[in-house]
Amino acid sequence: MKLASDHLPHSKRDQLMPSQVLRLLALLAFAASTAMATDPTQLQDFCVTDTKSKVFVNGFVCKNPNDVTENDFFFSGLNITGNTANQLGSKITSVNALNLPGLNTLGISLIRIDFAAGGFNPPHTHPRATEILVVLEGTLAVGFVTSDPDNKLFAKVLNPGDVFVFPQGLVHFQINIGMGNAVAFAGFSSQRPRAIIVANAVFGSKAPISDDVLMKAFQLDKPTVDSLKAKFWADNN
Ligand SMILES: *[C@@H]1O[C@H](CO)[C@@H](O)[C@H](O)[C@H]1NC(C)=O
């Protein structure tokens, strides 16, 4: 890495100005935060999740490679329709580093999403993963919103065979606008992307965010904030 001091005149080469030190620190902090935003690359062929380990690391501890079998790289069951009998009318079946242990450290995973008629997947983000979705059955309206200050919506209606990508970290949603059920599969650039469902995180946090914060943030009066907090916020994961 070339330091800022390489560009200074000779007399100043050995001393960084305070403003330059600040800039360098900001740059390093930024580099560190972006490096943490995605799954790191693996340093070995595989690191199969040891589901019995009590040690917490970034990801999961590796099982002894001598004990690894083909079943550690295998999952069966995405042919099964998810139970959509819930508030959202949708169900996500995940294949990630916990139930397909061979995915640990590989930076990739998969889901099946089932939608009843009118079912939806509410606005949410995957902080560490881009998502690529393909519709197998039915018709979905999908979209994502770009970051501040534009907050531009990119939305599309998808039919079987259509593919859409939701860039990493952006708020996105899907809703079944067809007459019958819908089925989609999606791949993620993370071994276990998880989700931040916006409404759940904001109005359903445990413990609750204070009324004062939510009233100001959403320009709502106290009774409205309290009624939103009192609602049940379903999670289809
Ligand atoms: C799903 O696949 C498994 C394994 O092949 C099979 O045993 C099961 O009957 C299938 N279930 C459905 C609902 O198709």
Side-chain angles (χ1 to χ4, degrees), residues 38-57:
T38 50
D39 286 10
T41 54
Q42 74 271 19
L43 304 175
Q44 45 212 341
D45 280 357
F46 51 75
C47 165
V48 170
T49 304
D50 177 355
T51 49
K52 295 187 185 75
S53 175
K54 294 280 182 278
V55 178
F56 292 94
V57 295

Side-chain angles (χ1 to χ4, degrees), residues 45-171:
D45 280 357
F46 51 75
C47 165
V48 170
T49 304
D50 177 355
T51 49
K52 295 187 185 75
S53 175
K54 294 280 182 278
V55 178
F56 292 94
V57 295
N58 189 23
F60 299 104
V61 167
C62 310
K63 183 172 163 178
N64 183 339
N66 294 329
D67 299 334
V68 168
T69 72
E70 53 276 18
N71 281 334
D72 287 314
F73 302 96
F74 175 77
F75 176 94
S76 180
L78 281 196
N79 57 334
I80 296 165
T81 307
N83 180 2
T84 58
N86 58 53
Q87 191 188 57
L88 303 174
S90 68
K91 181 67 192 173
I92 292 172
T93 309
S94 299
V95 183
N96 58 39
L98 272 185
N99 57 6
L100 198 167
L103 284 176
N104 191 34
T105 75
L106 297 187
I108 193 167
S109 61
L110 180 70
I111 60 168
R112 168 183 174 136
I113 320 179
D114 287 281
F115 298 88
F120 67 105
N121 202 10
H124 64 283
T125 80
H126 306 287
R128 294 175 297 281
T130 289
E131 171 176 356
I132 182 166
L133 177 136
V134 56
V135 176
L136 266 67
E137 265 179 62
T139 304
L140 296 180
V142 307
F144 68 82
V145 177
T146 65
S147 54
D148 287 349
D150 308 323
N151 293 138
K152 188 171 174 186
L153 172 69
F154 290 87
K156 191 90 182 150
V157 171
L158 307 179
N159 289 300
D162 291 348
V163 177
F164 200 76
V165 64
F166 305 100
Q168 179 172 327
L170 301 186
V171 171

